[in-house]
Amino acid sequence: MARVQLVRFPDRPHTYTVVGGDQLPVVPAREYLTFLRDEGASPNTVRAYAYGLAAWFTVLEHTGSAWDDFPASTFGAFLRYLRTGDLPGTARIGAPQKTMAESSLGPRGAAVLSMYRYFADAHDLSRPYRRLYSSHARSARRGRYAPFLTGVGPTSEQDAPLYRRRTPQRAETPVLEPAQVNTILDTCSVQTTDGGWTDGAVGLRDRLFFAVLAETGARLGEVLSLRHHDFHIAGGNTPSILIAGRDDHPHGARAKTGPRRIYIGDDLVALYTEYVWALVTDGADVAVEDLATHFVFVNLVRGVRYAPLRAETVYDKVDLITERHPQALPADWTPHWLRHTHATALLLAGVDVHVVMRRLGHADVQTTLSTYGWVTADAEMRALAQWHNYVAGWKVSRDGQ
């Protein structure tokens, strides 16, 4: 079976490739993933596409099909494999066990379809392209399959995938209720009666990380890229965090948009202050050359001490929190849900959509409306307890930041 392999470099961000059953890189997948990286795709995009290609080459290997010459029905078998985990021709005893939600099939299918579109354009490899695309079917939804390579391919304006993914009719973005957000934070660390914090600096770091996500609506890469001098908490002004447009995180975390200032509440300031004191007590100001310009979220247990935190470490913490509270938290929640929760809470509290747009860093208000328009239309959502109290401490300036 093909699998995804993490590739680490000492002097540049890590990346991903696909290796086959012979433990050697799958050449077509490697070339396409290299193309994605050269085009500026984020590490998360490369990773997601690598998993899609690994599943595709697993199906090809199982069926004995060549990667550049296969029946069109193979892609249908590939989608079934993603949905159920059953390889073609494999007998199953009992009902199929669903392994992937329909909403998660998009990036995996996009990886395969986009790879063949790339090879059709770059190498004039039209046979597999024609097996997956039909010039007789038009689809306004084609962009869902290959958003990154829209326009790449010999006749992309006319061609559409033969297999159209059926997605559930769901307009709502996933959100966490206030009690669930508190569960996440309290699992990381809580303040003791003597003023200390459980789990020490590590617990404070984790609680601060998820608290910043929840209170600012920033993206995972933006928070991982924060430096200490981005926290503006002195001088008598309203406390704020500067989200800077950076692309220098050693593990590939990136800030997708330009710089913006997000105003924060006093509780988050107090939590950040506690965390910094814990770092100083631990000797971080001595071990790090310039703590003010160093990353806020760093390794404290595993890996190189005070090295920038990896996204994988965050997801490990998500898994741990979910395992501890299987009844209280959705099984599939991710850090990005806190961004959706932030936007939802602001809109439910009556904050103008243009302010929410600027706070989230959206390029235009239409993006905000397209993503969260359902919030203002669904009056029943206002019945969720404590939404207004949840955002009461968030300070938003008149300029919309």
Side-chain angles (χ1 to χ4, degrees), residues 249-282:
H249 194 284
H251 305 309
R254 303 197 306 178
K256 294 178 63 176
T257 58
R260 67 186 187 279
R261 187 173 300 279
I262 301 178
Y263 291 90
I264 59 177
D266 295 334
D267 288 345
L268 190 60
V269 171
L271 184 60
Y272 169 73
T273 303
E274 292 279 357
Y275 171 62
V276 172
W277 275 115
L279 288 178
V280 172
T281 302
D282 199 45

Side-chain angles (χ1 to χ4, degrees), residues 63-104:
T63 58
S65 302
W67 80 276
D68 56 352
D69 188 7
F70 51 85
S73 59
T74 304
F75 192 77
F78 162 69
L79 295 178
R80 287 195 300 274
Y81 172 56
L82 293 179
R83 290 188 179 103
T84 66
D86 295 336
L87 286 165
T90 302
R92 165 175 286 278
I93 299 176
Q97 185 175 10
K98 187 175 181 180
T99 61
M100 183 176 294
E102 291 292 320
S103 59
S104 301

Side-chain angles (χ1 to χ4, degrees), residues 6-91:
L6 174 65
V7 182
R8 290 191 174 96
F9 298 99
D11 56 346
R12 50 193 168 119
H14 65 256
T15 187
Y16 301 87
T17 191
V18 177
V19 297
D22 56 3
Q23 304 305 310
L24 296 176
V26 177
V27 176
R30 180 175 61 184
E31 178 179 338
Y32 176 61
L33 294 174
T34 299
F35 167 75
L36 286 182
R37 290 192 296 272
D38 292 343
E39 285 291 298
S42 72
N44 287 336
T45 298
V46 175
R47 179 176 181 268
Y49 274 40
Y51 275 100
L53 295 178
W56 170 249
F57 281 98
T58 293
V59 172
L60 291 179
E61 180 182 316
H62 180 79
T63 58
S65 302
W67 80 276
D68 56 352
D69 188 7
F70 51 85
S73 59
T74 304
F75 192 77
F78 162 69
L79 295 178
R80 287 195 300 274
Y81 172 56
L82 293 179
R83 290 188 179 103
T84 66
D86 295 336
L87 286 165
T90 302

Side-chain angles (χ1 to χ4, degrees), residues 8-334:
R8 290 191 174 96
F9 298 99
D11 56 346
R12 50 193 168 119
H14 65 256
T15 187
Y16 301 87
T17 191
V18 177
V19 297
D22 56 3
Q23 304 305 310
L24 296 176
V26 177
V27 176
R30 180 175 61 184
E31 178 179 338
Y32 176 61
L33 294 174
T34 299
F35 167 75
L36 286 182
R37 290 192 296 272
D38 292 343
E39 285 291 298
S42 72
N44 287 336
T45 298
V46 175
R47 179 176 181 268
Y49 274 40
Y51 275 100
L53 295 178
W56 170 249
F57 281 98
T58 293
V59 172
L60 291 179
E61 180 182 316
H62 180 79
T63 58
S65 302
W67 80 276
D68 56 352
D69 188 7
F70 51 85
S73 59
T74 304
F75 192 77
F78 162 69
L79 295 178
R80 287 195 300 274
Y81 172 56
L82 293 179
R83 290 188 179 103
T84 66
D86 295 336
L87 286 165
T90 302
R92 165 175 286 278
I93 299 176
Q97 185 175 10
K98 187 175 181 180
T99 61
M100 183 176 294
E102 291 292 320
S103 59
S104 301
L105 292 178
R108 306 295 170 91
V112 176
L113 293 166
S114 298
M115 182 184 71
Y116 285 108
R117 183 172 287 172
Y118 159 76
F119 276 100
D121 183 66
H123 298 288
D124 198 25
L125 190 64
S126 60
R127 177 183 293 178
Y129 177 85
R130 288 302 176 196
R131 298 284 170 82
L132 297 176
Y133 288 87
S134 169
S135 59
H136 301 293
R138 293 174 179 266
S139 173
R141 299 181 301 167
R142 177 178 53 78
R144 292 187 179 182
Y145 288 88
F148 184 74
L149 293 180
T150 300
V152 177
T155 55
S156 60
E157 291 302 317
Q158 296 182 351
D159 295 350
L162 289 173
Y163 287 85
R164 299 183 181 183
R165 180 173 57 87
R166 292 176 174 83
T167 57
Q169 297 298 318
R170 179 186 178 186
E172 301 90 348
T173 49
V175 296
L176 296 163
E177 296 184 18
Q180 293 174 322
V181 176
N182 289 332
T183 295
I184 294 170
L185 300 182
D186 290 345
T187 304
C188 297
S189 182
V190 295
Q191 193 165 23
T192 59
T193 55
D194 60 359
W197 291 84
T198 57
D199 293 329
V202 175
L204 277 168
R205 179 201 65 189
D206 296 342
R207 183 182 179 99
L208 177 65
F209 185 87
F210 290 111
V212 170
L213 287 174
E215 184 157 337
T216 66
R219 303 174 179 90
L220 176 65
E222 292 173 336
V223 177
L224 286 173
S225 299
L226 286 174
R227 271 51 162 200
H228 285 283
H229 61 66
D230 293 329
F231 279 76
H232 297 262
I233 60 175
N237 297 321
T238 303
S240 64
I241 296 176
L242 178 64
I243 303 293
R246 296 192 180 104
D247 192 16
D248 58 353
H249 194 284
H251 305 309
R254 303 197 306 178
K256 294 178 63 176
T257 58
R260 67 186 187 279
R261 187 173 300 279
I262 301 178
Y263 291 90
I264 59 177
D266 295 334
D267 288 345
L268 190 60
V269 171
L271 184 60
Y272 169 73
T273 303
E274 292 279 357
Y275 171 62
V276 172
W277 275 115
L279 288 178
V280 172
T281 302
D282 199 45
D285 58 327
V286 177
V288 176
E289 182 176 354
D290 185 3
L291 188 61
T293 60
H294 197 58
F295 291 91
V296 174
F297 298 102
V298 294
N299 293 335
L300 296 174
V301 179
R302 295 184 298 177
V304 179
R305 196 167 185 80
Y306 306 127
L309 200 66
R310 295 176 179 269
E312 291 86 349
T313 304
V314 176
Y315 282 102
D316 288 344
K317 187 65 178 181
V318 168
D319 292 339
L320 180 60
I321 294 172
T322 306
E323 289 174 5
R324 291 184 179 178
H325 302 281
Q327 304 302 320
L329 297 172
D332 57 346
W333 78 276
T334 70

